[in-house]
Amino acid sequence: MPQTPFVRLDRASKVYRDGKREIVALDQVTLDITAGEWVAIVGPSGCGKSTLLNLIAGIDRPTSGRVIIAGTDLAQLDEEALARWRRSHVGIVFQFFQLLPTLTALENVQLPLVLAGHRNARQRARELLDRVGLAHRAHRLPSELSGGEQQRVAIARALANDPPLLLADEPTGNLDSASGETVLHLFHAAWHNGTTILLVTHDRDVAARAQRIVELRDGRVVADSASRVSPAR
C-alpha cells in the first residue's frame, strides 16, 4: 500500500500583486513528500523555491490550492493556531542565519524552547549546542561567531523542539566549503534520526546529498527524480 504523504501540496499557487500587475510565484504545484524523505528543491533565482518553503512552513498562505502537513490543512488554522503548530512541527534554517543579535548563542537556541513552555529549556539548549560542537561558544553573541558557527547555532535552534519537519533555505550559501560540509553533516544526522528535510539550494553538489531532487522553473515543477548520490542511512 502506498504511504500517506507527510507533506502534500495540492495545486498550490501563490500570486503577488504589484499595482495592476500579477506576479505568479507558484503555479498549480502538486507535490507529495513521504515522512523521512530528504528532498532538495533546485532551480534558478525567482523560480519559486523560497515561496514553496514559506507555504509549507505556514509563513505564507497559498492564493489557491491546499497545503497539508501530517494530515493538517494549514488553511484551517488561524494565525495563533498556526504559530503554535509551527513551533512544534517545523524547524527553519535560513541562509542569513536570522539569529537575534542581542542574544547569546545559548539564548538564541533557548528562545523557542521557552516559547513552547519547555521545563528544562536551558539544559536542552546546552545539549543542542554540544551536539553541533559549540558548547564552548554558548555565551558568545552572533557577531562574535563565524558564519559557519552562526549557521550551526541556527540549526540547533531549528531542532530545539524536535520538529518532524526541517526546512532549509540555502543553508550553505554564505559558507566556505569546510563550514558547508559541517552543516551538511548535521542535516544528515537529523535525517538519519527520522527528520523529514526539504532543502533549497542552487548548488548541485549539495542537492546530490538528498534522496530526491525536485526542480522548479517559472513556479512549476519541471523535474522530480531520485538523486544519483543518495545518502546512506
Side-chain angles (χ1 to χ4, degrees), residues 75-76 103 114 125 146 168 172 195 207 217 221:
Q76 303 304 312
L103 299 184
V114 171
S146 69
T172 62
T195 304
R217 193 171 294 273
V221 174

Side-chain angles (χ1 to χ4, degrees), residues 10 35 55 57 66 120 124 127 146 156 170 186 191 204 210:
D10 180 16
L55 294 187
R66 298 192 301 163
N120 299 304
R124 168 71 173 160
E127 291 170 355
S146 69
E170 296 284 0
L186 292 172
W191 174 76
R204 290 285 177 170

Side-chain angles (χ1 to χ4, degrees), residues 19-34:
K20 295 182 178 180
R21 187 167 65 109
E22 288 190 345
I23 301 170
V24 180
L26 282 182
D27 187 7
Q28 296 280 310
V29 169
T30 293
L31 182 66
D32 288 347
I33 296 168
T34 302

Side-chain angles (χ1 to χ4, degrees), residues 131-177:
R131 187 190 301 180
V132 301
L134 289 176
H136 64 296
R137 307 286 274 169
H139 300 292
R140 299 287 186 176
L141 293 171
S143 61
E144 299 174 299
L145 302 174
S146 69
E149 288 172 334
Q150 289 185 65
Q151 193 60 293
R152 281 189 277 163
V153 173
I155 292 171
R157 180 183 59 186
L159 296 173
N161 289 315
D162 287 321
L165 178 60
L166 184 61
L167 306 178
D169 195 353
E170 296 284 0
T172 62
N174 287 320
L175 305 180
D176 59 51
S177 57

